[in-house]
Amino acid sequence: MKAFLILEDGTVFTGKSIGSTREVISEIVFNTSMTGYLEVLTDPSYAGQAVTMTYPLIGNYGITPDMESERSWVDGYIVRELSRIPSNFRCQGTIQDFLVKQDIPGIAGIDTRALTKILREKGTMNGMITTNQNYDLEEIIPRLKAYTVGDVVTKVTCTEKKVLPGKGKKVALLDLGAKNNIAKSLNERGCEVTIYPAHTSAEEILASNPDGIMLSNGPGDPKTNVDIILNIKKLYASDIPIFAICLGHQLMALATGADTYKMKYGHRGGNHPVKDLETGRVYISSQNHGYAVDTETLDPKVCVPAFTNVNDGTNEGLKYVGKNIFTVQFHPEACPGPQDSGYLFDRFLKMMGGEQ
């Protein structure tokens, strides 16, 4: 069946329908990873977005037991070529069947390189995936321009508190759209991890007397999370060690008076170099974000830049003055992908008084 990708600038790509045949409007972004497509599909940070994979062949090792959440969160999936016959000893099915089961609309057979160039030159834009051959551009484009991602943190967070048992330090993980591997990375280091829904009050978290607090990754514009930012201000005021990743990093910055901005097309992929400003060492990182902290708005008495992106100089992490708090924009828990920065979990453990 034919499918069409329509961008808000009027560009139309024609390809083949994959997955669900329902129509969807979403923000169109691209990811440069060569592997890890299942992790992309199940990363809650992609809620409200349709993902274009720049690598030309997707699905060649099928669906494996590597999901970052219980379901897929992407609005749509866009690929150059979809492998119909996967080959891997861990394979549990095809990506086509997965997309159908998860009700994810997609399109294959389009020039993803040309699409990526458009998004890089013009910036991230909204689009529609449809199988309707009688589409009306004059009717569709105003709808595309009016689309907003909205409050996706509420959509992706857990609905109730849950505990991963451990004999070590007690960590409170605020689930803003957390990937499974964040809790797993802490649990593997012996921590007892209590996962809280995103809108849990600071008072409830602090009343549990955690040794440390983890603020997770998540989707959407950080500034829309007004109530969560107010709670994070209260967590900041405590003396409990805090480690934050991605959206959590942005929310902590907003909670302490800094500002964030939307990037032209963001960072999404497994090969982004970040520099540790203290040591000068460069790490290869996995990233997925469309917003960044504006370093011009930082109060040096509150926090200072700790990491920077080698490619474009954007902020990749902050160290908070006089506090046991550090935050990073990239994903030290990413798996598969570069694990260069996994040591940051050890640093967090040491901040809590545990063994590194």
Side-chain angles (χ1 to χ4, degrees):
M1 182 185 294
K2 273 189 176 182
F4 306 91
L5 171 63
I6 304 167
L7 301 180
E8 66 177 84
D9 69 348
T11 304
V12 179
F13 291 90
T14 303
K16 297 176 292 184
S17 174
I18 56 174
S20 170
T21 57
R22 68 180 174 87
E23 188 172 275
V24 66
I25 293 176
S26 187
E27 186 177 64
I28 311 297
V29 300
F30 64 88
N31 185 294
T32 58
S33 299
M34 296 173 67
T35 63
Y37 51 79
L38 183 60
E39 286 82 351
V40 170
L41 284 165
T42 56
D43 181 349
S45 293
Y46 282 113
Q49 298 176 330
V51 183
T52 305
M53 302 300 293
T54 62
Y55 191 69
L57 179 64
I58 297 296
N60 55 312
Y61 54 87
I63 298 300
T64 55
D66 300 309
M67 294 175 65
E68 283 290 355
S69 58
E70 294 178 357
R71 51 161 285 192
S72 178
W73 291 104
V74 302
D75 280 352
Y77 205 51
I78 304 160
V79 301
R80 176 69 184 91
E81 182 180 349
L82 193 72
S83 175
R84 299 285 178 175
I85 308 175
S87 177
N88 186 280
F89 74 100
R90 300 169 73 235
C91 177
Q92 298 177 343
T94 68
I95 192 170
Q96 166 69 8
D97 290 341
F98 179 83
L99 293 173
V100 171
K101 183 179 179 182
Q102 297 282 329
D103 195 30
I104 304 299
I107 183 170
I110 71 165
D111 188 342
T112 49
R113 183 170 181 159
L115 172 58
T116 302
K117 288 178 72 175
I118 290 171
L119 297 177
R120 281 181 61 92
E121 290 166 8
K122 297 185 178 182
T124 297
M125 64 180 79
N126 297 331
M128 171 189 282
I129 298 174
T130 181
T131 57
N132 179 12
Q133 299 191 39
N134 300 312
Y135 61 83
D136 181 354
L137 275 181
E138 290 186 3
E139 182 271 333
I140 290 173
I141 289 177
R143 289 169 58 198
L144 298 182
K145 291 183 177 179
Y147 171 82
T148 58
V149 172
D151 179 15
V152 276
V153 168
T154 299
K155 178 181 177 182
V156 302
T157 189
C158 60
T159 55
E160 58 185 10
K161 183 174 73 172
K162 48 189 174 183
V163 180
L164 297 180
K167 296 181 179 179
K169 296 297 180 180
K170 293 168 56 181
V171 177
L173 169 57
L174 190 62
D175 178 10
L176 306 167
K179 293 163 67 178
N180 287 342
N181 221 41
I182 293 178
K184 183 181 177 183
S185 295
L186 293 166
N187 203 220
E188 286 178 341
R189 288 167 170 81
C191 297
E192 175 186 292
V193 184
T194 303
I195 304 169
Y196 291 89
H199 296 282
T200 304
S201 69
E203 288 79 6
E204 181 180 344
I205 293 172
L206 295 173
S208 68
N209 294 314
D211 296 304
I213 298 170
M214 182 90 220
L215 307 179
S216 83
N217 64 294
D221 182 346
K223 291 179 183 177
T224 63
N225 301 287
V226 178
D227 293 341
I228 298 173
I229 291 169
L230 291 175
N231 279 320
I232 291 175
K233 279 186 179 180
K234 297 174 184 176
L235 298 178
Y236 168 83
S238 75
D239 289 323
I240 298 172
I242 299 175
F243 178 25
I245 292 173
C246 198
L247 179 63
H249 154 78
Q250 297 163 6
L251 294 180
M252 179 59 77
L254 289 169
T256 53
D259 197 12
T260 58
Y261 63 94
K262 187 169 185 177
M263 305 171 76
K264 186 175 181 181
Y265 49 82
H267 296 154
R268 298 176 181 89
N271 57 350
H272 290 265
V274 295
K275 184 177 182 179
D276 184 328
L277 297 177
E278 187 174 335
T279 66
R281 182 172 175 177
V282 174
Y283 299 89
I284 301 301
S285 69
S286 178
Q287 302 200 10
N288 172 21
H289 63 105
Y291 293 82
V293 173
D294 184 355
T295 53
E296 296 295 319
T297 64
L298 298 178
D299 181 348
K301 295 178 182 177
V302 174
C303 61
V304 293
F307 290 90
T308 189
N309 189 288
V310 176
N311 289 337
D312 61 14
T314 54
N315 179 258
E316 292 284 0
L318 296 170
K319 181 179 180 181
Y320 284 77
V321 179
K323 292 279 188 178
N324 275 328
I325 300 174
F326 72 99
T327 68
V328 293
Q329 182 62 77
F330 50 95
H331 288 268
E333 86 294 340
C335 185
Q339 298 181 354
D340 301 30
S341 54
Y343 74 93
L344 293 174
F345 287 100
D346 298 321
R347 178 191 291 181
F348 181 44
L349 201 65
K350 189 175 181 181
M351 282 168 49
M352 293 187 286
E355 293 183 7
Q356 191 170 7

